[in-house]
Amino acid sequence: MQTPQVVVVGSANADLVLDIDHRPAPGETVIGSDVVTTPGGKGANQAVAAGKVGGAVAFVGCVGDDDHGALLRDSLSSAGVDLTDLRTVDAPTGTATIMVTPDGENSIIVSPGANRHVTPAMLEETRSSWGAAPVVVLQLEIPVESVAVVATGARGRVVVNAAPAARLGSAVLAAADPLVVNESEAAFLLEDAGAAAGPADDTGATARALLRLGPRSVVLTLGAAGAVVAETRRADADRPSDDVRVGDEVPPADDAAEVVRVPALRVEAVDTTGAGDSFVGALAVELAAGATLERAVRLATRVAAVAVTRRGAQTSFPTLEELERAATQLQDRESGR
């Protein structure tokens, strides 16, 4: 197996998916479809997405000794993910109950289970996996203190997907390159910091406001509208990437920070479950290959566009061959050919 270039540290869940006509109001009972169980969890999703687009990927996390744990191991292995540091612990595998409405949107309730065992102590034991990896990917379905251990201890580039929304310390924000958030997660971080987001229709202003919180770069995802990339000058810009260290002084972002909008392919969404994770996984692989952040986001938006046209999370993620075929078909459809 190749030496991992991307190491994902995070959650692994069994997704319990059911279709509903509408989201229930308080006190309301709705009838849903039969439950379909599929592999998921933000961390495992991102690792699978990265593996499917050709990345050399390892996953660090925890599952239980149960059928759900076996399901996740099989899915990760099938995508070529290195599972050396996927631990089996004395707890049930995490689950996510996902309700999907006819427009393809979803509501999710997560029960962490074994993911609570991704502790700072466990991560110190697995430091040889993530400590020197070129790109490390984090999300927030594991304890926030564990996220901090990896973000501040990794020597490579750290991608922080601040989802689900939670308070992040300044050290984690300073390590993020990029910080990846959607609009609701961005609003949470800015409100928590007492910072103004700018006009609701000015996503560039929101991205700049996020930069002022301290990350080295920002990717603001906008669903069907694509994404916004914001970067400011880095103190380590003229040094080899191996010399980058968390804590280097970085000039504050200002209104002159470079902001680029990357459009998404127009598709008919069937199920948005895992789309953001497919985006992050593909982004990490491109960054590990040396791509600029903008170029990495362009690939990531294409991967996410294909993913939302299929059901499920990991089962919807395309391989590179599938991505190329689907992207060509979508572009031909848009141009009317």
Side-chain angles (χ1 to χ4, degrees), residues 184-308:
S184 65
E185 293 150 2
F188 175 90
L189 289 175
L190 291 169
E191 182 178 355
D192 185 62
D201 60 349
D202 189 346
T203 52
T206 298
R208 290 189 182 98
L210 289 166
L211 272 180
R212 286 191 283 273
L213 299 184
R216 294 167 177 261
S217 57
V218 166
V219 176
L220 176 62
T221 60
L222 306 171
V228 170
V229 180
E231 298 183 87
T232 191
R233 185 170 61 85
R234 293 162 48 143
D236 55 275
D238 296 326
R239 291 186 291 146
S241 59
D242 285 347
D243 291 335
V244 175
R245 292 292 184 274
V246 172
D248 285 346
E249 184 180 353
V250 179
D254 56 29
D255 288 341
E258 181 180 5
V259 175
V260 177
R261 179 181 291 275
V262 177
L265 292 173
R266 284 183 287 181
V267 298
E268 177 125 4
V270 172
D271 182 0
T272 59
T273 305
D277 297 330
S278 70
F279 180 101
V280 173
L283 175 83
V285 172
E286 281 289 274
L287 292 176
T292 63
L293 183 56
E294 180 183 344
R295 178 179 168 186
V297 168
R298 290 189 183 280
L299 173 71
T301 56
R302 295 198 298 273
V303 169
V306 174
V308 301

Side-chain angles (χ1 to χ4, degrees), residues 32-223:
S33 66
D34 290 341
V35 173
V36 175
T37 303
T38 61
K42 296 194 73 62
N45 286 349
Q46 291 168 6
V48 168
K52 284 191 170 183
V53 295
V57 189
F59 178 66
V60 179
C62 293
V63 294
D65 185 14
D66 50 29
D67 290 344
H68 288 162
L71 173 71
L72 285 154
R73 283 185 177 275
D74 287 346
S75 181
L76 286 157
S77 295
S78 296
V81 178
D82 183 336
L83 301 183
T84 301
D85 286 309
L86 174 59
R87 302 284 182 85
T88 299
V89 299
D90 185 18
T93 299
T95 58
T97 302
I98 303 174
M99 297 172 287
V100 182
T101 47
D103 60 359
E105 293 296 330
N106 60 66
S107 298
I108 303 174
I109 302 171
V110 173
S111 176
N115 296 308
R116 291 194 177 98
H117 289 252
V118 186
T119 61
M122 179 266 194
L123 291 169
E124 289 295 346
E125 294 171 0
T126 59
R127 183 179 286 268
S128 59
S129 290
W130 55 264
V135 175
V136 178
V137 182
L138 293 160
Q139 342 70 36
L140 307 184
E141 285 183 344
I142 59 174
V144 175
E145 59 268 26
S146 300
V147 171
V149 166
V150 177
T152 58
R155 292 170 56 195
R157 187 167 189 163
V158 179
V159 178
V160 178
N161 177 209
R167 176 173 292 178
L168 294 178
S170 58
V172 174
L173 286 167
D177 188 17
L179 172 71
V180 183
V181 289
N182 64 21
E183 290 177 280
S184 65
E185 293 150 2
F188 175 90
L189 289 175
L190 291 169
E191 182 178 355
D192 185 62
D201 60 349
D202 189 346
T203 52
T206 298
R208 290 189 182 98
L210 289 166
L211 272 180
R212 286 191 283 273
L213 299 184
R216 294 167 177 261
S217 57
V218 166
V219 176
L220 176 62
T221 60
L222 306 171

